[in-house]
Amino acid sequence: MSETSDDRIINELSNKEYEAGFVTDIETDVFEIGLNEDIIRRISEKKNEPEFMLEFRLKAFEKWKTMTEPNWANLKYEKPDFQSISYYAAPKNAAKYNSLDEVDPDLIKTFEKLGIPLEEQKILSGVAVDVVMDSVSVHTTFKKTLEEKGIIFCSISEAIQKHSDLVQKYMASVVPVGDNFYAALNSAVFTDGSFAYIPKGVRCPVELSTYFRINQANTGQFERTLIIADEGSYVSYLEGCTAPSRDENQLHAAVVEIITLKDAEVKYSTVQNWYPGDKNGKGGVYNFVTKRGICKGDNSKISWTQVETGSAVTWKYPSTILKGDNSVGEFYSVAVTNNYQQADTGTKMIHLGRNTRSTIISKGISLGHSNNSYRGLVKIAPKANNARNYSQCDSLLMGDKCGAHTFPYIESENATAIVEHEATTSKVSEDQIFYCNQRGLSTEDAVSLIVNGFAKEVLNKLPMEFAMEAQKLLSLTLENSVG
Amino acid sequence: MAKTLISIKNLKASIEGKKILKGINLEIKEGEVHAIMGPNGSGKSTLASVLAGREIYEVTNGSVTFQGKDMLSMSPEERSREGMFLAFQYPVEIPGVSITNFMKAAVEQHREHKGLEQLTPSEFLKMMQEKKDLVEIEAKLANRAVNTGFSGGEKKKNEVFQMAMLEPKFAVLDETDSGLDIDALRIVANGVNKLKNKENAFLVITHYQRLLDYIVPDVVHVLYNGKIVKTGGKELALELEEKGYDWIKKEND
C-alpha cells in the first residue's frame, strides 16, 4: 500500500527545524566549569549578596551533595555532568539602563528576531518586561507605574539586596532547599530570576512578564522566581521562553515559588519554547523545573497555565498546596512533543484546608518518535473536609511511533472528599484531515486547526496577547512540516 | 446549450489492488442533477471518494475534466477550492473546532483561491446567518464542535449547511439520505433545491428512490459492479424502487 497521508504528515513534521535558533554575540563574563564551594562563594560575591544568602547557598550545596538525580520519571536521557557546566555567565556591560538606547544593540536585535521588540511591547500591550538574558537582568520596564501602586517587580538579585526581609521570609518557604535534587542545585547556584510582591488589596494593573533566554554555550540556567501576593491582591504573571540552537545539551533547573495570602490570587502563565533538539534527537534543553505555590491564606487562589512545546527533556510539575480554607488551585497544561522530545509533566494538588477545590486539565500532543507523560498527584489530607478535585487528561497522538502515558495518583484520607478523574486518548485521523482537505484546507492548516481545537480549553485560560502567541507557537511547531 | 461541467472518461480505480471502478463514463452539464443508484458494493461511494481525491484509492486509468481542468492532478483541497464539494456519508467529528471557526478557515481559503477580498468578521457572520436560514438549521448548531455529538440527521444538515457556505459548482451527495427521518430528509432536500441553479450541478448518490421524491433528478444512472450499466430519466428510479436491483444483476452478471 502506498504511503498514507498520516505517514506523510509525520515524516514532514519531523523535518521541521527550530526557528529561533541563532546566537547573540555579546561579550560575557564566564566562570570556569565546575561546581564547588569556592564557585558558590564567588557567585555570591559577584552578586554582592548579604551574608544570609551565602549561607543559604552553602546549606543548599551541602544538601545537594548528599542527593542523587531522580530517575522515577518516564524519561530516558544521559545524565548531565554537573562538573562540566559553568555556573555563572553575565554580560560584561551589565549595567542598569535607563532607556532602550543604552542597551547593547545586539541584544535588541535578538529580541527583534524573536518578535518581541521591547519598545513596541511597552507601548502596545502595556506589559512590564523584566528580561533575563544569561542570568542577569538587563532591562526592567514600567517599574514606575508599578512603584506607584507599591508593587515590587525586579530581579531577584535586586530583591535580595533591597527587600531582604521579604526574601528571607519567603524564599524556600514553598520549595525547601532540599526538596529535590534540582531544587537543591538551583538554591546553591541560582544567578538571577524575578521577584514580585503585590501589596495588600492591590490589583496589579498590568501583566507582569519575563522573557527568558538561554544564550551562552554550556551555561546552565538556574533562575529563581519568587512571587508574593499579599492579602486581597491579584497579579497575572507571564513567563515566555526561547533559546538558540545548540548541539550541547543545556541544563535548565529553575525554581518558582508563589505565596498567596488571604483572598489573594496569582495567575501564572508559561509559554515554553526552548530548543527541543534536532530531528534526530541531538541537542536540546534539559528542563528540570520545580514550580510550586502555596495558597497560604483562606479564599486564595493559584492558577498555573502552561504551553510547553520546547526542550528535549521536560521534568516539570507546577503544584499547589491548598492550605487556606476555601482556597482554589488550577492547572491547565498543553504539552506538545515532536521528534525525540520527552516530557514528563503534570501537577500536584495538595489539599490541606477545608472546602479546597482543584481543577486539572492536561492536554498532551505527541508527534514523531516523542513520548509525552502526564503525572499527577491529588492528595487530600485528613482535615481537608469537603475537598473537591476534578482532573481531565487528554492525549492526542499523530502517527504510530509516539507515545502518550498517564500516571494519575490519588491519595485521599478524608471520606468527605470528591475526586474525579477522566482521561481520553485520541488520534488525529486520516479521516479528519481528509474532511478538512475536502473543505479547502491544506493538511498543515487542518492539523493546526485540529490541534488548536484539542488544546482550546487550555489556550482560553491564557491572557489575550499570550494566547495569540501560544496559538502561533502551536501552529509553528506543526508548520513547515506538512503539505 | 449548457456547458459541460464535469466529464468522467473510462475511470478505473482500485483499493489495495482490488478493482472497484471498472471504467466509468459520465458527463454532467451545468444546471443538471444526476442520480447514481445501485446495490451495495457496486462502487457508488468509491466514485464519490475518487472524485474528492481520497488517497487510499488508486486511479489506474481514465480522466476527470472539471471546468476544463484535469481534476485528477489536483490535491483534495485544490478540488474543493475549484468548486467541488462532497457531502460525506459519514461526516467525521472534529472535537474542539467550532463550525464557525471551521467554516471561517474554509471560506478564507476559497476566497483567497478566487482572488476575492476576505470578509470582515461581521460580513462572515451575516453570511453564516443567511445560509443557516436558507438550509433551515438551528442557529446554535454553528457554535458546536464540527459533528461532535451530532445525531445522524444533524450531521447531514451540517453537510448541507457547509455546502451552502462554500457555494460549489459541483456537489456530490454521498448517500446523504441514509439514516434520516422524513423531516430531516425534507430539510436536506429543500436545502439542495434552494442551492440548485443554472450554473451548478449535483450528483446524488443513493441506494433508495425516496430522496429522489424531493430532489428530482434530470438523469438517473445505475452503477453495478464498477460500471454504469443503465442510464435513464427520473422514471428509472421508480422502476428500480418497484423491481429492486435483481433484474439489473441478472442482465449484467
Side-chain angles (χ1 to χ4, degrees):
Chain A
M1 204 177 125
S2 66
E3 197 182 46
T4 65
S5 61
D6 252 14
D7 292 335
R8 201 190 66 218
I9 296 153
I10 290 144
N11 287 336
E12 284 163 351
L13 276 171
S14 316
N15 295 328
K16 152 86 183 156
E17 295 287 337
Y18 184 68
E19 299 219 333
F22 43 79
V23 178
T24 312
D25 200 10
I26 295 176
E27 270 192 274
T28 52
D29 178 9
V30 185
F31 276 17
E32 71 276 13
I33 59 165
L35 182 56
N36 51 49
E37 203 181 300
D38 180 51
I39 290 280
I40 289 166
R41 285 180 186 278
R42 276 166 62 198
I43 291 171
S44 192
E45 197 186 342
K46 272 265 178 205
K47 306 194 74 64
N48 245 333
E49 288 176 351
E51 188 60 25
F52 84 87
M53 209 58 237
L54 176 64
E55 277 165 25
F56 179 97
R57 289 176 184 280
L58 291 173
K59 194 177 123 199
F61 182 60
E62 285 307 312
K63 191 89 190 173
W64 179 73
K65 283 195 290 188
T66 68
M67 300 173 93
T68 48
E69 254 194 286
N71 58 5
W72 42 261
N74 187 27
L75 303 168
K76 288 192 189 82
Y77 61 96
E78 209 176 297
K79 300 271 184 281
D81 176 359
F82 295 96
Q83 292 302 336
S84 70
I85 295 168
S86 164
Y87 287 85
Y88 187 81
K92 261 187 181 162
N93 44 0
K96 292 284 169 191
Y97 303 107
N98 294 320
S99 83
L100 278 177
D101 307 339
E102 294 173 33
V103 177
D104 192 325
D106 272 3
L107 187 57
I108 302 294
K109 266 184 216 156
T110 303
F111 294 126
E112 279 165 5
K113 278 188 214 170
L114 284 169
I116 45 159
L118 280 178
E119 199 56 38
E120 209 170 281
Q121 220 162 29
K122 275 198 293 184
I123 299 160
L124 291 178
S125 59
V127 173
V129 180
D130 177 39
V131 178
V132 174
M133 178 152 167
D134 270 17
S135 320
V136 171
S137 282
V138 284
H139 206 98
T140 305
T141 55
F142 268 39
K143 218 165 178 174
K144 274 198 180 153
T145 323
L146 299 177
E147 269 168 13
E148 280 164 16
K149 295 232 170 208
I151 295 167
I152 305 166
F153 181 45
C154 61
S155 71
I156 195 90
S157 313
E158 193 182 326
I160 288 167
Q161 316 243 356
K162 291 190 187 161
H163 310 285
S164 57
D165 50 331
L166 285 170
V167 173
Q168 241 178 319
K169 183 171 179 190
Y170 288 109
M171 189 184 273
S173 72
V174 195
V175 181
V177 292
D179 184 79
N180 67 70
F181 183 82
Y182 306 113
L185 181 64
N186 176 288
S187 301
V189 303
F190 74 91
T191 47
D192 221 327
S194 297
F195 176 85
Y197 171 78
I198 320 298
K200 261 184 202 175
V202 170
R203 201 179 161 87
C204 184
V206 290
E207 318 261 0
L208 297 185
S209 166
T210 309
Y211 281 88
F212 293 95
R213 188 168 173 83
I214 302 174
N215 196 53
Q216 193 67 31
N218 283 326
T219 306
Q221 282 246 314
F222 303 93
E223 287 99 358
R224 189 90 197 186
T225 301
L226 181 59
I227 300 169
I228 304 151
D230 212 328
E231 289 181 11
S233 68
Y234 167 84
V235 67
S236 169
Y237 190 93
L238 317 180
E239 174 201 323
C241 326
T242 58
S245 188
R246 287 284 177 194
D247 278 343
E248 301 90 341
N249 285 307
Q250 290 179 305
L251 178 64
H252 185 91
V255 172
V256 175
E257 293 177 281
I258 299 175
I259 296 104
T260 52
L261 302 183
K262 192 168 173 279
D263 299 321
E265 179 179 351
V266 173
K267 194 174 152 69
Y268 191 102
S269 312
T270 310
V271 169
Q272 189 266 116
N273 181 29
W274 283 321
Y275 182 53
D278 68 13
K279 62 182 177 185
N280 299 313
K282 193 168 180 284
V285 170
Y286 284 5
N287 188 17
F288 304 132
V289 182
T290 306
K291 289 184 171 176
R292 196 177 302 155
I294 182 164
C295 289
K296 214 168 172 182
D298 293 350
N299 313 315
S300 63
K301 179 176 175 182
I302 294 175
S303 182
W304 301 97
T305 306
Q306 58 172 23
V307 176
E308 304 272 325
T309 66
S311 295
V313 181
T314 299
W315 181 95
K316 179 182 176 185
Y317 316 91
S319 304
T320 305
I321 301 165
L322 299 155
K323 188 163 182 280
D325 290 345
N326 314 313
S327 59
V328 176
E330 293 175 338
F331 174 75
Y332 302 104
S333 168
V334 176
V336 187
T337 52
N338 197 356
N339 297 320
Y340 288 87
Q341 276 177 280
Q342 303 175 70
D344 194 303
T345 184
T347 184
K348 285 188 269 186
M349 292 291 176
I350 315 293
H351 293 254
L352 303 179
R354 285 169 298 173
N355 306 315
T356 46
R357 282 174 293 138
S358 63
T359 305
I360 299 170
I361 309 284
S362 164
K363 304 272 181 178
I365 301 156
S366 327
L367 309 105
H369 292 79
S370 68
N371 259 303
N372 204 326
S373 302
Y374 167 81
R375 186 181 302 276
L377 170 67
V378 176
K379 190 181 167 72
I380 315 283
K383 286 178 184 163
N385 286 336
N386 303 314
R388 183 122 174 50
N389 163 267
Y390 174 74
S391 303
Q392 185 189 327
C393 304
D394 298 327
S395 305
L396 185 70
L397 298 161
M398 281 188 66
D400 52 12
K401 294 185 179 67
C402 52
H405 316 269
T406 307
F407 305 99
Y409 299 90
I410 297 168
E411 294 170 14
S412 181
E413 295 173 68
N414 186 309
T416 64
I418 302 173
V419 179
E420 284 176 84
H421 179 89
E422 285 180 26
T424 66
T425 303
S426 55
K427 237 183 121 170
V428 176
S429 70
E430 226 173 288
D431 284 349
Q432 286 173 323
I433 290 173
F434 181 70
Y435 190 81
C436 296
N437 287 156
Q438 213 300 307
R439 301 304 185 242
L441 303 179
S442 67
T443 300
E444 193 174 281
D445 288 344
V447 170
S448 176
L449 197 72
I450 293 166
V451 167
N452 272 301
F454 174 74
K456 194 173 66 178
E457 270 174 279
V458 173
L459 296 177
N460 283 347
K461 298 289 175 187
L462 290 169
M464 189 60 156
E465 69 271 23
F466 224 34
M468 308 270 279
E469 198 176 305
Q471 227 169 38
K472 206 177 122 195
L473 189 62
L474 270 191
S475 300
L476 268 175
T477 312
L478 310 159
E479 203 181 75
N480 288 347
S481 30
V482 224
Chain B
M1 209 180 104
K3 279 191 286 185
T4 297
L5 194 63
I6 186 161
S7 169
I8 301 167
K9 291 206 170 99
N10 196 30
L11 185 66
K12 293 182 183 174
S14 56
I15 181 165
E16 290 170 2
K18 191 174 175 234
K19 291 179 181 125
I20 310 280
L21 301 183
K22 299 170 180 170
I24 304 276
N25 290 291
L26 189 60
E27 196 167 293
I28 301 174
K29 291 190 172 66
E30 287 180 345
E32 289 183 343
V33 175
H34 286 228
I36 289 198
M37 302 183 72
N40 291 327
S42 59
K44 300 191 300 288
S45 283
T46 299
L47 177 62
S49 292
V50 168
L51 290 175
R54 184 123 219 192
E55 278 182 12
I56 48 170
Y57 294 97
E58 193 190 350
V59 175
T60 54
N61 206 341
S63 68
V64 178
T65 310
F66 179 41
Q67 301 177 101
K69 293 179 186 167
D70 172 16
M71 194 160 93
L72 295 179
S73 67
M74 294 179 202
S75 66
E77 58 269 31
E78 282 168 336
R79 296 177 198 205
S80 166
R81 293 170 199 164
E82 284 284 325
M84 189 265 166
F85 184 93
L86 172 63
F88 286 80
Q89 184 177 6
Y90 304 109
V92 66
E93 298 191 354
I94 310 180
V97 179
S98 72
I99 292 175
T100 306
N101 276 342
F102 183 61
M103 274 295 104
K104 191 167 174 291
V107 168
E108 276 171 11
Q109 291 298 329
H110 279 249
R111 294 187 72 87
E112 191 184 316
H113 184 75
K114 290 178 185 137
L116 296 171
E117 255 186 57
Q118 293 301 344
L119 298 173
T120 63
S122 68
E123 285 169 341
F124 175 76
L125 291 174
K126 193 167 161 252
M127 180 183 176
M128 289 271 294
Q129 193 52 54
E130 284 168 8
K131 303 297 184 183
K132 272 186 277 191
D133 293 346
L134 183 75
V135 298
E136 296 168 53
I137 70 160
E138 299 83 349
K140 62 179 197 298
L141 204 67
N143 297 324
R144 292 168 61 185
V146 179
N147 297 321
T148 307
F150 283 24
S151 69
E154 284 172 330
K155 283 183 183 175
K156 298 300 170 76
K157 282 189 236 172
N158 183 30
E159 293 295 287
V160 175
F161 167 67
Q162 292 181 43
M163 184 161 75
M165 288 296 290
L166 298 175
E167 300 173 332
K169 291 284 286 183
F170 174 57
V172 178
L173 280 68
D174 187 7
E175 309 227 7
T176 299
D177 52 336
S178 69
L180 289 191
D181 62 35
I182 202 75
D183 292 330
L185 186 74
R186 202 167 50 228
I187 288 173
V188 165
N190 282 345
V192 172
N193 287 331
K194 283 177 189 163
L195 296 172
K196 205 174 96 175
N197 61 40
K198 279 180 185 161
E199 280 156 7
N200 61 18
F202 291 83
L203 181 62
V204 182
I205 294 173
T206 179
H207 187 75
Y208 302 104
Q209 191 268 341
R210 195 174 65 148
L211 180 64
L212 303 178
D213 286 341
Y214 298 95
I215 305 172
V216 182
D218 300 297
V219 187
V220 175
H221 309 275
V222 179
L223 188 67
Y224 178 63
N225 197 16
K227 281 184 171 177
I228 288 173
V229 294
K230 213 170 193 64
T231 295
K234 60 182 181 224
E235 65 287 347
L236 178 57
L238 294 167
E239 196 181 349
L240 286 167
E241 183 75 3
E242 200 180 309
K243 295 158 83 176
Y245 288 108
D246 282 351
W247 62 284
I248 297 278
K249 289 180 187 173
K250 270 179 204 146
E251 272 179 23
N252 291 281
D253 279 340

